[in-house]
Amino acid sequence: MVEREEHRSISDLSTRPIGRLLWEYSMPAIVGMVVMSLYNVIDRIFIGRGVGAEAIAGLAITFPVMNISAAIGVLIGAGAAARVSIMLGQRDRRGAEEVLGNSTVLILVNAVIYLTLFAIFLDDILRLFGASDATLPYARDFMAWILPGMLVMNVMYSLNNVMRATGYPRMAMVTMFIGAGCNVVLAPIFIFLLDMGIKGAAIATDLSMTVGMIFVLAHFFNKKSTVHFRRGIYRLRWRIVVGIIGIGAAPSIINAASCAINILINRTLVEMGGDLAVGAAGIFSTYTSLLCMVVVGLCQGVQPIIGYNYGAGHTERMQRAFWLSVLIATAVTTVGCFFGLATPGWIALAFTDNAELIAVTVNGLEISMLAFWAVGFQIVSTTLFQSIGMAGKSIFLSLIRQVIFLIPLLVVLPRTMGLDGVWASFPTSDAFSTAVTLGMVIWQLRHLRRHDNPLSHT
């Protein structure tokens, strides 16, 4: 009975009103992503309040490492979800299950490789990422205990995307709730009650993500699920692997680029403003990441709608879903931009009571948030190209904001403007990349509108 209901919901992607579908698929994803982002927010608030300003700076040093892990997870998870959506749209359930099996194997293989490298070269990597003598102990303590959980995180995140793409958006949301709920309970226990500090935050996160992963795996071992584990789907096939990586490359590059950017930012901030500036960047990153997670959740919800209708040749429905998502995403980032500019002191105060750190954070938010309102449109546009299998264009859009524009700006502006130049790099990059993204989207949608069957022109 469950399987029939879910199969019918998948077919409804091509018939039901777009607004209702977007609500049903995106709201669970948005709630799930926001709740999931509370892993980081909770850790940083408890660490900032319970350990101190240097601990927040040390945690900020670990962002690039976490981004590398996230990049691997997104590379496989987002790519697999998009391929599954397209295949279900083409009524190829066996192919969708092979994508599930291949993606699971890829997650495990890649995680073992990068976790081994991190474990061997941890101190050297953290130094490269901008750790000072004062912040290295905090960063090392956190990473030494969070490393085992990174494998769990990749499995949970990646397969959660596939769960949503196969017609179970509410169940995907529930698994996120379960993990984050455990973290809300466990983090203060390990940090304060057991007096384990930053190490306790890592352990609480590991345990919480393990609980979430168990629920995700249980879903795919259930034979009543639309797509589930079965024999014969785990053998890696070149065609499937290339399809997963090709589509997942764009969002993965965003995370990998974030890693490179964080390294450059941390090293520049240490030079221009010391450890407090790094801590301020950590607070800025936490706040903007929370907003972006809302948009990413929206994109996760609209991705199966776009992918399915693209696979079924319903171009008009695909475009309606895209523009409605753009409207909602832009509203989210615009509201976030307003609060970042209007109440930067309150945002900083949520993480620390250190007056110097608050002052540096306020200055950073007032400059860096100036063009943040446009970020929602950029993220949804990247998802559009990813969802319809146009990996090259999706990768390019991923690169222009965080690499092509931002890296040169981070090199040039701080040399002329000092610390303010680091913060000014963000809105400048956002403005340039928004103009390029808008041009590409308009051209692509006009091209698709001229053809009845988009699959013949990929």
Side-chain angles (χ1 to χ4, degrees), residues 198-222:
I198 198 168
K199 177 173 67 176
I203 294 174
T205 301
D206 288 345
L207 294 175
S208 302
M209 288 190 293
T210 300
V211 173
M213 180 191 70
I214 290 172
F215 276 85
V216 173
L217 290 176
H219 167 78
F220 285 108
F221 277 111
N222 186 347

Side-chain angles (χ1 to χ4, degrees), residues 232-303:
I233 64 173
Y234 305 103
R235 180 181 177 182
L236 293 179
R237 301 180 184 278
W238 179 250
R239 173 183 56 83
I240 296 175
V241 172
V242 170
I244 292 172
I245 294 177
I247 296 178
S252 178
I253 286 174
I254 293 177
N255 285 276
S258 295
C259 173
I261 295 301
N262 277 322
I263 295 172
L264 180 58
I265 290 172
N266 287 340
R267 294 178 70 89
T268 305
L269 288 172
V270 168
E271 178 185 346
M272 297 291 177
D275 291 334
L276 285 178
V278 177
I283 294 173
F284 159 71
S285 176
T286 302
Y287 175 66
T288 55
S289 293
L290 183 60
L291 295 168
C292 286
M293 285 302 100
V294 177
V295 179
V296 170
L298 174 69
C299 290
Q300 288 181 348
V302 78
Q303 179 270 317

Side-chain angles (χ1 to χ4, degrees), residues 43-381:
D43 285 346
R44 291 163 199 176
I45 289 176
F46 284 143
I47 288 169
R49 288 286 180 173
V51 186
E54 287 184 342
I56 279 194
L59 192 62
I61 295 298
T62 69
F63 290 174
V65 182
M66 303 299 288
N67 281 334
I68 291 174
S69 172
I72 298 296
V74 170
L75 173 68
I76 300 167
R83 291 302 305 166
V84 164
S85 295
I86 293 174
M87 287 182 172
L88 289 176
Q90 297 171 335
R91 304 295 193 270
D92 184 4
R93 184 171 300 211
R94 175 65 182 182
E97 290 182 335
E98 289 181 343
V99 171
L100 170 65
N102 276 234
S103 64
T104 304
V105 174
L106 287 175
I107 293 166
L108 297 176
V109 171
N110 282 283
V112 169
I113 293 173
Y114 74 74
L115 289 179
T116 300
L117 293 175
F118 284 151
I120 296 173
F121 302 107
L122 183 58
D123 275 18
D124 293 333
I125 291 172
L126 293 174
R127 287 285 188 185
L128 174 66
F129 290 173
S132 66
D133 291 338
T135 59
L136 180 62
Y138 295 106
R140 184 196 300 120
D141 279 352
F142 185 78
M143 287 308 307
W145 288 93
I146 202 68
L147 280 176
M150 291 168 68
L151 169 60
V152 176
M153 178 181 68
N154 277 173
V155 174
M156 184 180 71
Y157 282 6
S158 299
L159 296 187
N160 192 272
N161 284 335
V162 177
M163 180 190 295
R164 184 178 298 105
T166 55
Y168 298 85
R170 293 181 183 176
M171 190 173 295
M173 177 187 70
V174 169
T175 59
M176 293 288 198
F177 263 120
I178 291 170
C182 290
N183 200 37
V184 170
V185 174
L186 294 178
I189 293 175
F190 280 93
I191 295 172
F192 298 109
L193 187 61
L194 300 180
D195 195 26
M196 298 179 70
I198 198 168
K199 177 173 67 176
I203 294 174
T205 301
D206 288 345
L207 294 175
S208 302
M209 288 190 293
T210 300
V211 173
M213 180 191 70
I214 290 172
F215 276 85
V216 173
L217 290 176
H219 167 78
F220 285 108
F221 277 111
N222 186 347
K223 292 183 179 180
K224 293 182 179 180
S225 299
T226 302
V227 173
H228 56 270
F229 293 132
R230 67 170 73 233
R231 291 183 179 180
I233 64 173
Y234 305 103
R235 180 181 177 182
L236 293 179
R237 301 180 184 278
W238 179 250
R239 173 183 56 83
I240 296 175
V241 172
V242 170
I244 292 172
I245 294 177
I247 296 178
S252 178
I253 286 174
I254 293 177
N255 285 276
S258 295
C259 173
I261 295 301
N262 277 322
I263 295 172
L264 180 58
I265 290 172
N266 287 340
R267 294 178 70 89
T268 305
L269 288 172
V270 168
E271 178 185 346
M272 297 291 177
D275 291 334
L276 285 178
V278 177
I283 294 173
F284 159 71
S285 176
T286 302
Y287 175 66
T288 55
S289 293
L290 183 60
L291 295 168
C292 286
M293 285 302 100
V294 177
V295 179
V296 170
L298 174 69
C299 290
Q300 288 181 348
V302 78
Q303 179 270 317
I305 301 172
I306 292 176
Y308 189 97
N309 282 284
Y310 179 75
H314 301 153
T315 306
E316 183 180 350
R317 286 178 58 83
M318 179 200 75
Q319 295 189 37
R320 289 208 309 270
F322 167 71
W323 284 118
L324 181 57
S325 300
V326 167
L327 178 64
I328 297 171
T330 303
V332 169
T333 50
T334 299
V335 171
C337 178
F338 170 78
F339 280 105
L341 296 173
T343 62
W346 288 105
I347 295 172
L349 192 60
F351 294 88
T352 181
D353 56 5
N354 184 292
E356 292 182 83
L357 179 55
I358 290 174
V360 176
T361 303
V362 167
N363 179 61
L365 286 171
E366 289 176 341
I367 298 173
S368 60
M369 297 291 295
L370 288 172
F372 186 78
W373 58 270
V375 171
F377 167 68
Q378 297 172 39
I379 297 174
V380 176
S381 297

Side-chain angles (χ1 to χ4, degrees), residues 284 368-375 378 400-402 405-406 409 424-437:
F284 159 71
S368 60
M369 297 291 295
L370 288 172
F372 186 78
W373 58 270
V375 171
Q378 297 172 39
I400 59 171
R401 177 172 176 253
Q402 296 201 52
F405 290 131
L406 186 54
L409 289 168
S425 300
F426 295 101
T428 307
S429 175
D430 289 338
F432 289 157
S433 56
T434 297
V436 175
T437 301

